[in-house]
Amino acid sequence: MDSEINQAYAGFGFFDIYHRDSFKQPARTTWIDGWKIEYMAIADPQTIHKTPIVIVGGAFQNFNSYKYCVEQLFESGPVILIDLPSMGANQQITNRDTGISAGTLELPDLSEMLGRWLDIVGIQKVSVMGMSLGSVVASCFAYHRPDLMDRMILMGVMQKTRKSWRMILEESLKLMQENRMEEFGQAVILYLVNHAKLDKTRMSPTAKKLFFRQMAEFTGTERERYEINCNRLLRLTDVPIPECKTLIAAGQYDSFTLPHENANFALQCPDMEFALIANADHVPQLQRRKETMSLFTSFLKGESIQNLDGIIPMTREQMQNMERRGEERIPVLQPKTKLSHRECETEVPVKIVDVTFFGMYLKLDDVAQLEFVNEHPRDLALHLEDEEGAFSIECLIFEATEQGVRALFKHGSFELADRLSRFIARQKQAA
């Protein structure tokens, strides 16, 4: 019976009928003014007539990343996976006709290109799913082409970027530009995956290792694409608010785009639903795929999201009162310590007010050293000690005043991250 259905739909216009080898096929392409669009358009015969779902991925995902997601999504309709120039697995970094860099394409430009592409292929109404970097493109698309929009799903989105977040991106760029690729790969994983909640997210060591190797073994083109996409985000000043029916979702323990930042974006949407995906961080599609896809499919089908396993829906009131701190801030047993400079011999005596896996709040012993601290926001390391011994970890200082110093830890080593986790666990036990 299935084979008869497949034969009947084999020539069904734009969409290919999905089969087990669909993801082994090369991407289809469309060229627009010298820019290449890569895509897959796949469908289940049972739902091929419904509104297509366009998935705009983040900076790194290739189509295979969604291999185990699309089967659930077929309940809602056919699926279009699309990689715009320099995004996803699309390796194009220069225009075929003019030679200009893909870095000249801002995220709103890419969203406009998506609209033009849909016009070219003749699709008049879509639902759009955007994750991480893709969420910005999706939001811009919905804002500029509301005529094409049915429903929208965004995950890992925020209205404006915070200074500490921008410093993390800038630091990752510096590591890559200095060819410190092992450190770069570990840093990217430690920022995207909440290392402090691995006991909750249960991300498999294999997935983490594969993710790391992908980053650490970037080719020249992939490095250029990373730089292009980072700089697009660093230049971003505002993400437009979609008017269509929108679901915003976030991992419960997302430490990269914080849950309250996702919620703040959602609160500005006129027709929205918001939910946290329990025991997940910035990559719920890897850690809680079944629950995540069940949430998305229910929303796309117009069904309630209130009683889904592993999903925490929230009301506007709950969203407005969300805890902004992702981690409990812990006092330490030996608060008196120092910051040291990685090159010069200057030391800055400090007192630790509190610490988390991601950063700390300090007081300077001598406010006369404030100028020195502000002049070296990326060059100082905090010294810590417990019964296991002494160690230090470099910092990214994003605020230093007479009242105190706020900084992120520079995470670029799994080993040091584990050491810090053990240190924090000991402080908690003693509290």
Side-chain angles (χ1 to χ4, degrees):
M1 179 64 181
D2 286 347
S3 62
E4 290 175 8
I5 292 174
N6 286 349
Q7 285 177 359
Y9 279 86
F12 195 99
F14 178 69
F15 291 97
D16 296 324
I17 298 304
Y18 177 74
H19 54 84
R20 67 175 62 186
D21 293 326
S22 287
F23 282 88
K24 295 179 182 177
Q25 308 306 311
R28 294 157 68 178
T29 59
T30 302
W31 290 88
I32 300 177
D33 297 337
W35 296 113
K36 183 169 67 167
I37 314 292
E38 296 183 346
Y39 67 96
M40 287 181 67
I42 47 180
D44 182 315
Q46 306 290 346
T47 55
I48 199 168
H49 59 285
K50 295 187 176 181
T51 302
I53 304 129
V54 176
I55 301 178
V56 185
F60 307 120
Q61 296 99 328
N62 57 36
F63 292 159
N64 274 322
S65 305
Y66 303 101
K67 183 175 181 179
Y68 300 106
C69 300
V70 295
E71 290 184 8
Q72 278 181 271
L73 289 174
F74 285 145
E75 293 178 31
S76 311
V79 173
I80 299 170
L81 299 164
I82 191 158
D83 280 345
L84 299 161
S86 71
M87 290 184 66
N90 188 330
Q91 300 288 311
Q92 188 184 23
I93 54 176
T94 56
N95 184 284
R96 181 179 67 174
D97 300 336
T98 65
I100 63 171
S101 169
T104 61
L105 295 170
E106 300 292 359
L107 295 169
D109 298 327
L110 293 170
S111 74
E112 181 188 357
M113 193 178 296
L114 174 57
R116 289 180 64 190
W117 179 79
L118 287 168
D119 291 339
I120 289 168
V121 298
I123 294 178
Q124 298 175 349
K125 190 69 70 175
V126 292
S127 291
V128 179
M129 182 188 305
M131 292 175 271
S132 195
L133 176 65
S135 69
V136 181
V137 177
S139 293
C140 291
F141 170 76
Y143 180 78
H144 292 296
R145 293 299 303 270
D147 56 304
L148 292 172
M149 285 302 305
D150 183 15
R151 290 177 174 239
M152 166 80 80
I153 296 173
L154 301 174
M155 187 164 70
V157 66
M158 53 183 156
Q159 178 71 58
K160 295 187 183 296
T161 59
R162 62 187 183 276
K163 182 179 179 181
S164 58
W165 185 88
R166 294 193 300 274
M167 290 183 78
I168 286 172
L169 285 189
E170 289 165 353
E171 186 62 24
S172 71
L173 274 175
K174 285 179 182 291
L175 291 173
M176 188 184 72
Q177 289 161 352
E178 293 170 5
N179 204 34
R180 295 154 65 185
M181 296 308 292
E182 289 286 313
E183 199 175 338
F184 165 79
Q186 292 179 75
V188 172
I189 304 306
L190 287 164
Y191 291 134
L192 294 182
V193 175
N194 189 335
H195 199 79
K197 296 293 184 183
L198 287 176
D199 61 324
K200 304 284 189 184
T201 62
R202 301 198 306 274
M203 186 167 185
S204 77
T206 301
K208 184 174 149 187
K209 187 175 181 180
L210 288 172
F211 201 0
F212 161 65
R213 289 260 58 96
Q214 179 191 357
M215 302 292 122
E217 295 173 2
F218 268 3
T219 64
T221 297
E222 286 166 333
R223 293 189 194 196
E224 283 193 64
R225 293 195 310 126
Y226 183 83
E227 186 164 351
I228 285 169
N229 285 314
C230 271
N231 283 320
R232 283 171 175 158
L233 286 170
L234 289 169
R235 290 192 297 268
L236 189 66
T237 56
D238 186 66
V239 180
I241 302 299
E243 295 289 323
C244 62
K245 190 176 287 292
T246 303
L247 169 69
I248 289 91
Q252 182 182 11
Y253 300 120
D254 190 342
S255 54
F256 190 63
T257 52
L258 303 175
H260 78 83
E261 291 173 324
N262 284 266
N264 181 61
F265 185 92
L267 285 168
Q268 298 172 71
C269 299
D271 189 1
M272 68 82 187
E273 294 184 78
F274 179 81
L276 296 178
I277 299 161
N279 299 317
D281 51 39
H282 192 66
V283 286
Q285 67 272 29
L286 297 181
Q287 298 154 338
R288 296 290 180 270
R289 184 173 61 229
K290 181 180 177 182
E291 293 85 348
T292 302
M293 291 304 118
S294 176
L295 170 65
F296 292 175
T297 301
S298 296
F299 172 76
L300 290 168
K301 291 163 68 176
E303 297 173 354
S304 171
I305 65 168
Q306 293 302 310
N307 297 299
L308 300 174
D309 289 343
I311 301 300
I312 308 168
M314 300 184 77
T315 64
R316 281 187 173 268
E317 183 178 1
Q318 289 171 323
M319 293 159 65
Q320 288 163 343
N321 295 316
M322 279 182 77
E323 173 60 59
R324 295 175 63 88
R325 297 178 178 181
E327 296 292 320
E328 180 186 1
R329 299 184 182 187
I330 308 296
V332 301
L333 292 170
Q334 300 179 44
K336 287 190 172 296
T337 182
K338 65 183 179 182
L339 293 168
S340 64
H341 194 281
R342 60 176 172 166
E343 292 176 351
C344 72
E345 295 182 1
T346 302
E347 294 185 343
V348 181
V350 296
K351 179 181 179 182
I352 300 173
V353 178
D354 54 51
V355 67
T356 74
F357 176 80
F358 300 100
M360 70 288 191
Y361 179 42
L362 313 170
K363 298 279 189 181
L364 299 180
D365 283 11
D366 182 1
V367 293
Q369 290 187 293
L370 181 60
E371 184 178 355
F372 177 80
V373 171
N374 273 315
E375 287 174 351
H376 301 278
R378 287 185 158 84
D379 302 316
L380 301 174
L382 180 68
H383 291 251
L384 299 169
E385 187 172 357
D386 59 15
E387 61 198 55
E388 192 177 333
F391 68 105
S392 63
I393 182 165
E394 291 186 352
C395 308
L396 292 171
I397 294 169
F398 61 89
E399 181 183 296
T401 67
E402 291 183 2
Q403 284 68 48
V405 175
R406 298 187 186 278
L408 299 173
F409 289 124
K410 262 193 210 181
H411 284 303
S413 160
F414 293 150
E415 183 179 346
L416 191 54
D418 288 337
R419 177 68 180 90
L420 178 62
S421 293
R422 295 195 299 275
F423 172 84
I424 291 172
R426 291 188 178 101
Q427 311 310 305
K428 283 183 178 180
Q429 288 170 359

